[in-house]
Amino acid sequence: MSTYSTGSLWKRFARGFRRGGEQSRVARVDDTDLVVVVSSDDDAVATSTVLDAADFSSDTPVVLRHLIAVPESAVESAVASAALEGYVETAGLDDDPDVGAEFVPVSLSRVQRVDARTVSQERSRVASLASRSGGVSVGWAVLDVPGDR
């Protein structure tokens, strides 16, 4: 049984046809219109639980952002390692948790399609990167632009 109504399928098809295929509304990770649509700083909670609780799903790429905390001496190498996976260092958010005096917060973001599986994979990958850098993963967030843009 399909989870999409016929009308919603038609709207998705028509939107894709008008634009020449599915395209992201997000052009860059530093888009000034981005807003946090879902986030978590609890490692014990499954990604699927967080996404379901926020009623989040998207057929288009959004910004997946991870916050890690590493010693100051490891920031440059952590950012360089993340860049190999397509992540870029981005600005912190006002509601980022405190990481303590011994660490520096590093925000890593990239534009991609997300679902529970891909976010879980990326959480694991970034947590491993943070650990190899002597730090920890602090949390993650999905950012998108408002639908009316």
Side-chain angles (χ1 to χ4, degrees), residues 68-102:
I68 63 172
V70 296
E72 188 172 355
S73 61
V75 170
E76 190 175 316
S77 65
V79 171
S81 291
L84 297 173
E85 300 295 332
Y87 285 96
V88 296
E89 186 175 12
T90 51
L93 300 175
D94 291 339
D95 59 348
D96 281 344
D98 182 32
V99 298
E102 71 276 16

Side-chain angles (χ1 to χ4, degrees), residues 126-149:
V126 171
S128 177
L129 178 148
S131 179
R132 288 190 313 271
S133 300
V136 295
S137 177
V138 178
W140 60 274
V142 173
L143 292 86
D144 199 0
V145 294
D148 58 350
R149 183 174 113 174

Side-chain angles (χ1 to χ4, degrees), residues 39-45 50 65-71 92-93 95-108 122-131 134-141:
S39 67
S40 177
D41 60 2
D42 188 344
D43 242 7
V45 178
V50 175
R65 176 187 183 268
H66 300 274
L67 183 64
I68 63 172
V70 296
L93 300 175
D95 59 348
D96 281 344
D98 182 32
V99 298
E102 71 276 16
F103 291 121
V104 173
V106 178
S107 174
L108 303 168
E122 293 307 310
R123 285 176 65 188
S124 179
R125 179 176 286 151
V126 171
S128 177
L129 178 148
S131 179
V136 295
S137 177
V138 178
W140 60 274

